[in-house]
Amino acid sequence: MKKFIIHSVLIASVITMLPACESLNRDALQYKDASSVTALNASVETTPVSTSGDAADDPAIWVHPTDKSKSFVIGTNKKSGLAVYNLQGEQIQFLQHGLPNNVDIRQGMTLNGKPIDVGAFSDRADNTVGWIRIDETGIEFIDKFTVNTEPYGFCLAHFNNKLFAFVTYKTGLIEQYELREQKQSLDLVMTDSYQLSSQLEGCVADDKRNRLFVGEEEYGIWVFDGAADKLTQPLLIDKVGSNNGIVADIEGLTLFHSSAPLLIASSQGNDSFAVYEATPPYTFKSRFRVVANTQVDGAQETDGIDVTNTSLPGFPNGLFVAQDGFNDDGKQNFKLVPIDL
Ligand code: CA
Ligand code: CA
Ligand code: CA
Ligand code: CA
Ligand code: CA
């Protein structure tokens, strides 16, 4: 009985400590660099993920080919599967499947002679790349292929009419795979690899210009030219700790397509996003933050991001999506931000 009382006292003291930890309001943080960083607001946030802790990770925007209001966002829950959210942020589908870390999509592809919008994701549950079919009804799992141990970052490329998948690893390894059509099936064949020095995650491909951008989390942002062929010595675009203000970890990378394409990188260590010209000499342009307004809290400690320049309802000049590591009213989620770059 005495033991029980002591135990209860301990529990009580732990509980009384909790509010102090939770009361750290990430949206009230004062950033020293605030005067040089643009502040944007999210207009929509998604349904929080169903699992606690660090769970939401990487979004991908699917644009409906004819009715833009039916476009949606696919988001990974790295503890349980892939969620689909409409442009109002409501979860409209959940595909329970493995431990998907990063996801990417390509629209208007052809597989086995048929038009298809495809997605693919790195799955740490069984060391595979999983593939999904996407249409206006949502997503459907179609196939998976084994890759190396712990596929972490992931992105797709459509180079020279072929679909490529790039997998990045915590070991600094990047693998290039090509999706090949067999008579009745698909095959994912490793075609090249490249070794960088430390943990990688975010990557994004510029299909038109044969380029692959990769984030080395604690080091900087790299670009591989001619990535459709061999992965040769990349060029360093920016380094953690540079005057441009990027702070480790470098996380999600995405491309804003326009006549002058832009690269956006999540600078996770200072809750900001750096913008670069996505063509040589990859000039740094600006940084922005997603801060709280009266409706939606800001995005902090962001992992994955995606952006489109397509005009969507509520997002006339484009939509930027950012994972939020600290959702003020629940578990992690994704923020939808009207953007004009
Ligand atoms: Ca995280
Ligand atoms: Ca990471
Ligand atoms: Ca991540
Ligand atoms: Ca937040
Ligand atoms: Ca919120």
Side-chain angles (χ1 to χ4, degrees), residues 53-59 76 78 266 268 273 298-306 320-326 332-335:
D54 199 26
D57 200 273
D58 191 34
T76 60
K78 59 190 174 189
S266 171
Q268 191 179 55
F273 305 93
Q300 295 87 18
E301 213 174 287
T302 294
D303 286 313
I305 55 177
D306 197 12
F320 175 71
V321 182
Q323 181 260 5
D324 180 16
F326 293 89
Q332 290 185 342
N333 65 359
F334 298 91
K335 277 16 189 197

Side-chain angles (χ1 to χ4, degrees), residues 121-132:
F121 55 93
S122 48
D123 188 345
R124 293 192 282 179
D126 56 1
N127 299 323
T128 58
V129 167
W131 291 77
I132 51 176

Side-chain angles (χ1 to χ4, degrees), residues 58-61 102-106 120 152-159 164-168 174-176 196 200-216 220-228 231 234-235 237 250-257 261-266 274-279 282 303-308 320:
D58 191 34
I61 302 164
N102 282 190
V103 62
D104 200 6
I105 70 177
R106 283 294 181 275
Y152 194 50
F154 181 81
C155 58
L156 288 173
H158 187 232
F159 291 142
F164 288 90
F166 291 93
V167 184
T168 67
I174 306 164
E175 290 177 337
Q176 178 199 56
L196 284 167
L200 311 173
E201 186 171 350
C203 64
V204 64
D206 183 339
D207 295 355
K208 215 197 268 182
R209 297 171 187 80
N210 264 345
R211 290 200 175 104
L212 175 72
F213 300 87
V214 176
E216 187 171 355
I221 305 164
W222 297 95
V223 60
F224 292 83
D225 263 332
L231 294 174
L235 176 79
I237 292 177
I250 302 303
E251 285 281 338
L253 298 179
T254 189
L255 286 170
F256 185 83
H257 295 285
L262 299 170
L263 173 72
I264 309 177
S266 171
V275 183
Y276 304 84
E277 288 175 359
T279 50
Y282 305 104
D303 286 313
I305 55 177
D306 197 12
V307 73
T308 179
F320 175 71

Side-chain angles (χ1 to χ4, degrees), residues 234-248:
L235 176 79
L236 189 66
I237 292 177
D238 201 1
K239 196 169 184 293
V240 162
S242 79
N243 292 335
N244 300 325
I246 58 166
V247 175

Side-chain angles (χ1 to χ4, degrees), residues 142-162:
I142 51 176
D143 213 343
K144 63 180 177 180
F145 302 96
T146 300
V147 292
N148 227 313
T149 307
E150 204 183 357
Y152 194 50
F154 181 81
C155 58
L156 288 173
H158 187 232
F159 291 142
N160 307 331
N161 274 323
K162 292 180 201 162

